[in-house]
Amino acid sequence: MKIPFIDLNRQYNKIKKEVHQVINKVFETNRFILGEYVEKFEQNFASFCGAKYCIAVGNGTDALTIALRCLGLQNGDEVLIPANTFIATSEAVTLAGARPVFVDVEPESFHINLKKAEQKINSRTKAILPVHLYGNPVDLKMIREFCDYYKLYLIQDCAQAHGATFQNKNLVDFGDICCYSFYPGKNLGAYGDAGAIVTNDEILANHCRMYRNHGRIDKFNHIFEGTNSRMDALQAAVLNIKLKYLHQWNKDRNTKAYIYTNLLKSITYIRTPHCFTNRQHVFHLYVIRVDYQIRNDLIKFLNKNGITTGIHYPVALPFLKAYSYQHNKKNDFPVAINYKMKFCHCLFFRRLLRKKLNM
């Protein structure tokens, strides 16, 4: 039996009839860009997130870029981001005309370390962009206080955190803006690229809505130059179907994560995910850590038994070739470097014990 890293067919087969019906309806309308299905999804996803406004865009990277641009960042401004995440986070900062400033991460959660972030604040620092890595929320109370003290914008990268909460509150309650990706492999995934911006700020929402659509308020009335990042109706229609099931899917992920942790915690060379009592993890990925020296042996063992694994973010962002111009120093990122190169590595597999548990 082969257990893939991600099995989209399994999910698709459960909602196949609904998906085909709604796709056919979209084709009957012949309106494929924005329109009623996108508007319906914006309403539904805003409600799901506990937000007033949702702006559907082309992908998660565009969501971050548009959010940063609409907050008014200028050339030379700086944005604090964690050293351990996907390049889309830092890439969006650059695309918005600002400079990503990498900050080392916490040793357990791998979230941005606020003490380290404080050391990098200067007159050019305008925002902080934390990532809810793997679906595990950052400490939003501390980050909100940090932003209020230093007068920074708080943009949350929620690309892996659909449905996550902090202290029983929605993520959007703490920040200026939240940005989501609906890449097919996400907890809420489209059948192509798609993303969304979520906020409670009406002025910011209107600005983002215009920016994604060439800066216009109607067909030929352009208030400013924007971009073309409009969600298409087919993706919105599919997302509306999937959104109905997302709460249950997240519960299922948590149930299985709990089982995995209980079965793995007695194995001394495996460190299971660290969960916080005041945060609702949605386990976009179930992450274990193992000593670097035995990692490859474990991968071979799992592959031999038909269980696909993957190593994500094998190089910390500050040391990608794309950021060589910053001349980042390893001593500034001891946790990220240790995590990537010396002690351990992230090893991802969501259905590690599926064969044994028949899940």
Side-chain angles (χ1 to χ4, degrees):
M1 180 180 181
K2 182 73 172 177
I3 301 174
F5 181 70
I6 182 168
D7 189 356
L8 293 178
N9 282 331
R10 194 162 178 249
Q11 182 192 77
Y12 166 70
N13 288 330
K14 293 180 179 179
I15 59 174
K16 184 176 181 179
K17 185 176 179 180
E18 290 179 273
V19 167
H20 284 201
Q21 287 176 344
V22 76
I23 286 176
N24 287 336
K25 288 181 179 179
V26 173
F27 276 105
E28 289 170 3
T29 67
N30 285 317
R31 188 172 181 186
F32 300 108
I33 303 296
L34 298 178
E36 62 180 293
Y37 287 99
V38 174
E39 292 170 5
K40 181 180 179 182
F41 174 71
E42 289 176 332
Q43 294 167 5
N44 291 341
F45 194 64
S47 178
F48 177 86
C49 295
K52 294 180 179 179
Y53 310 102
C54 170
I55 302 90
V57 297
N59 55 71
T61 308
D62 281 356
L64 289 167
T65 304
I66 292 169
L68 289 159
R69 284 192 173 276
C70 290
L71 286 168
L73 269 69
Q74 306 290 322
N75 289 339
D77 288 344
E78 295 183 354
V79 179
L80 303 171
I81 70 166
N84 178 56
T85 186
F86 184 56
I87 194 172
T89 311
S90 50
E91 187 176 51
V93 174
T94 303
L95 290 170
R99 180 179 185 271
V101 175
F102 299 108
V103 180
D104 204 14
V105 293
E106 298 284 354
E108 287 294 336
S109 65
F110 306 113
H111 294 150
I112 192 167
N113 185 318
L114 291 182
K115 290 183 179 179
K116 298 291 185 181
E118 192 170 36
Q119 297 171 8
K120 300 198 174 187
I121 288 180
N122 58 53
S123 61
R124 299 182 298 277
T125 311
K126 295 298 187 292
I128 186 169
L129 209 172
V131 179
H132 302 296
L133 199 64
Y134 317 136
N136 191 15
V138 302
D139 189 334
L140 283 169
K141 182 177 182 293
M142 292 292 292
I143 287 184
R144 183 69 267 171
E145 292 173 355
F146 183 87
C147 290
D148 291 342
Y149 183 82
Y150 287 106
K151 296 180 172 54
L152 304 178
Y153 291 119
L154 172 53
I155 305 103
Q156 300 178 52
D157 186 335
C158 305
Q160 302 180 1
H162 311 73
T165 59
F166 180 81
Q167 295 182 338
N168 295 317
K169 294 182 179 179
N170 295 300
L171 304 183
V172 72
D173 293 338
F174 295 88
D176 298 284
I177 205 158
C178 291
C179 298
Y180 290 84
S181 165
F182 304 119
Y183 182 79
K186 304 296 186 183
N187 290 35
L188 180 62
Y191 289 160
D193 269 325
I197 298 163
V198 171
T199 183
N200 288 322
D201 186 318
E202 182 178 10
I203 294 175
L204 185 56
N206 289 336
H207 195 183
C208 291
R209 200 176 301 280
M210 285 190 290
Y211 197 98
R212 64 144 184 213
N213 192 18
H214 301 289
R216 62 185 172 187
I217 54 175
D218 54 49
K219 190 169 184 179
F220 296 114
N221 191 0
H222 302 264
I223 306 303
F224 53 84
E225 287 185 333
T227 192
N228 179 7
S229 184
R230 302 168 297 191
M231 182 183 288
D232 69 67
L234 287 169
Q235 302 306 336
V238 169
L239 288 169
N240 271 319
I241 297 295
K242 288 190 171 188
L243 186 58
K244 298 186 299 182
Y245 301 101
L246 185 54
H247 276 305
Q248 185 58 51
W249 289 345
N250 283 342
K251 286 182 181 178
D252 291 344
R253 286 173 180 265
N254 271 273
T255 298
K256 291 172 183 177
Y258 178 78
I259 293 170
Y260 299 162
T261 296
N262 278 336
L263 289 169
L264 294 170
K265 65 183 180 182
S266 62
I267 303 175
T268 56
Y269 61 82
I270 289 179
R271 295 181 65 180
T272 55
H274 185 82
C275 296
F276 299 87
T277 56
N278 61 348
R279 311 178 203 184
Q280 183 58 61
H281 201 320
V282 292
F283 287 98
H284 169 60
L285 296 171
Y286 184 86
V287 181
I288 69 166
R289 293 186 288 152
V290 297
D291 187 83
Y292 186 80
Q293 279 69 35
I294 67 168
R295 185 193 71 192
N296 290 338
D297 289 337
L298 179 57
I299 291 172
K300 289 177 182 178
F301 171 80
L302 293 169
N303 286 338
K304 184 178 179 180
N305 285 275
I307 299 173
T308 307
T309 65
I311 302 169
H312 283 44
Y313 324 138
V315 180
L317 283 180
F319 305 105
L320 291 173
K321 186 175 180 180
Y323 299 106
S324 59
Y325 69 91
Q326 290 194 5
H327 304 291
N328 293 301
K329 298 177 181 178
K330 292 181 179 180
N331 290 342
D332 291 336
F333 306 93
V335 176
I337 290 295
N338 191 53
Y339 165 56
K340 297 296 179 187
M341 301 177 66
K342 296 178 183 175
F343 170 65
C344 55
H345 233 81
C346 272
L347 179 65
F348 301 82
F349 45 95
R350 283 181 275 186
R351 287 174 293 278
L352 171 66
L353 305 172
R354 181 174 160 194
K355 289 167 73 174
K356 184 180 291 187
L357 300 174
N358 194 29
M359 292 191 291

